[in-house]
Every structure is written in structure tokens, then in C-alpha cells.
Amino acid sequence: MRSRDLARLAGVSVRTLRHYHQIGLLPEPPRSANGYRSYAASDLIRVLRVRRLTDLGMPLSRIDPLMDIDAELALLDDDYARQIEHLRRRREAIRALRQRDTPVDTPAFAREYLAVVGGRRELPTPSVEIERDAALLLESILDPASISRLTALRQDEIERLADVSAALLDLDEDASREHLDTVVDALVSVLRHVTPLLLASRPTPDVARSFDVYVDDQLPPVQRETVRRAVRRLRD
């Protein structure tokens, strides 16, 4: 049979057949007296087998006449299982966002924390948004292991973080020195607890500067200075 006949029977294009020849999946057949390729039934079977494997998702680069098909299909199945699990986690995240009416850009590791912070009546909405934006920045800095550790925080630990964040975000210029010192002490305590969870994460200088710029832009002077005092205490 000629190229167009083989292509029609196999459900591929003549161009695809030429490509199979070029990459070695289909041997060159003998040519007839008039110069046309003359294919046999075995060629049709080979093309049908290749098409079947590609329909299952196997890349052409992994298809070889001598390959162990069962082993290759097992690898392909494992790959699909990983993709399904990845998609399942995405669907769970989407479902959780829809059920909680949570903004779509809320990082998964910060969901519980932001829900607690958002429930603090003393905090205005802009303050809660500051925390959400900070969580987005953290997500760009942290490695997967650190994110997993933050996600695994107990409810009492989340409540403690929310208490300290609320105390910080509630500060204004009229806060007494004694109250500021109390908030600094609380911040230092929380940071000492959280920092070991993030030791594997090393932000690049550019990312670190971006976070500093964000803090400078979003927090009023009294809150910025409180954060800096706590950080200096940790470094001393």
C-alpha cells in the first residue's frame, strides 16, 4: 500500500508517517518501480501500535520497538497517578476557598491563621488585608518544607500568632511605652517559636528587600519600629 493508504487506515497524516521515518519509529519500506513507498501490513500494525501508545499519553521519545511495554505503561500510570493527586489537592484548595468565601490568592498555609485574624473585631479590614498580602510574600520566599511545617501548626499556636499580630496591628502613635514593650516581648516570643520552622528557607537579597519595602509601605511608623525592635532583640 502507498503512504496515503497507510495514513488513512492508521488515522494519521502522511506528514506523521514521514516524521516516524525520521525518528526511526517506522523503517523505510521498499519502493515500487515508480518510486513510491510500498508498505506492508506489518507497517500498518506498527503505526497503529505507536498511535495507540501516543493516545495513552506516551511521548514518542519513549517509544521503541524493543521497549518493555508493561514497564513503560507502569511508569506512565505512576505519572498519571501523581498528576491526579496534584489535581485532587488543587480541587480541595478550590473547594475550601469557595466554602470559606476566602480570596483566591490566599496561601493554603495561612488560611487558618487569616481566618482567626479576620475574626478579631478590633482589627479593621485593611489590617487583615495586610496580613494576607504578607502571607503571599512569604509564600514566594519559603521552601516547601517550611510551608508544610507552618501548615501543621496547632490551633493554639495559630491563636497565639493571631493574638500577637492583632496586638501589633492595633498599635497607634498614642500607645504607651509600657504597652509597646509588651508587644515587642510578645513578638520576640512568637518569632523565636516560628523562626526554627523556617531555617531551611533562605530568601535572596532581592526578595528580602521586597519584604522590607512592603513592611515600610504597609505599616505605620509605630508598628514598623516595634517590628524592628523585636528583630534586633532576636539578633542580639
Side-chain angles (χ1 to χ4, degrees):
M1 72 188 89
R2 292 171 58 176
S3 296
R4 65 171 177 267
D5 300 318
L6 175 60
R8 177 176 53 80
L9 291 171
V12 299
S13 66
V14 172
R15 183 176 180 180
T16 296
L17 293 181
R18 293 196 191 104
H19 181 59
Y20 288 174
H21 285 309
Q22 290 170 358
I23 63 177
L25 281 180
L26 185 63
E28 280 285 345
R31 293 181 179 265
S32 61
N34 55 12
Y36 290 112
R37 290 185 177 95
S38 180
Y39 294 97
S42 58
D43 296 313
L44 173 60
I45 291 171
R46 178 172 294 206
V47 174
L48 288 172
R49 181 174 287 120
V50 171
R51 182 184 171 190
R52 174 60 173 160
L53 292 173
T54 56
D55 285 346
L56 289 172
M58 186 173 293
L60 287 175
S61 59
R62 284 171 53 182
I63 298 176
D64 185 284
L66 301 178
M67 71 181 183
D68 184 335
I69 293 182
D70 286 340
E72 288 295 329
L73 289 177
L75 290 174
L76 190 63
D77 187 53
D78 289 342
D79 184 45
Y80 284 147
R82 286 190 294 270
Q83 292 181 45
I84 289 171
E85 176 60 20
H86 179 65
L87 292 173
R88 184 190 65 77
R89 289 196 297 268
R90 284 192 172 184
R91 291 193 67 203
E92 285 184 354
I94 291 170
R95 182 165 56 251
L97 288 172
R98 295 180 67 187
Q99 288 175 346
R100 301 179 188 183
D101 195 26
T102 307
V104 69
D105 59 355
T106 300
F109 77 90
R111 245 179 248 141
E112 292 294 336
Y113 165 74
L114 290 171
V116 174
V117 171
R120 301 301 169 95
R121 295 180 180 178
E122 69 270 25
L123 288 180
T125 299
S127 294
V128 178
E129 291 302 320
I130 286 174
E131 289 297 276
R132 178 172 290 108
D133 292 347
L136 277 172
L137 278 177
L138 273 178
E139 190 175 40
S140 71
I141 295 173
L142 301 178
D143 62 286
S146 297
I147 290 178
S148 294
R149 288 191 287 269
L150 286 179
T151 305
L153 285 174
R154 302 188 309 271
Q155 188 63 32
D156 62 306
E157 294 173 312
I158 292 173
E159 294 281 352
R160 176 58 178 156
L161 285 172
D163 287 342
V164 175
S165 295
L168 171 67
L169 296 172
D170 193 44
L171 290 177
D172 58 30
E173 301 299 332
D174 296 328
S176 67
R177 182 70 182 185
E178 181 180 3
H179 183 52
L180 291 173
D181 290 343
T182 299
V183 176
V184 170
D185 290 341
L187 266 177
V188 170
S189 176
V190 164
L191 289 173
R192 279 178 177 157
H193 177 69
V194 172
T195 300
L197 304 179
L198 314 178
L199 286 179
S201 299
R202 292 289 184 268
T204 65
D206 287 342
V207 170
R209 278 194 296 272
S210 297
F211 201 85
D212 289 340
V213 168
Y214 172 80
V215 170
D216 288 343
D217 286 346
Q218 297 297 322
L219 298 183
V222 64
Q223 295 175 14
R224 288 202 306 267
E225 181 55 27
T226 301
V227 171
R228 286 171 178 157
R229 285 180 59 197
V231 172
R232 286 197 296 269
R233 282 262 301 276
L234 280 175
R235 290 173 177 169
D236 292 342

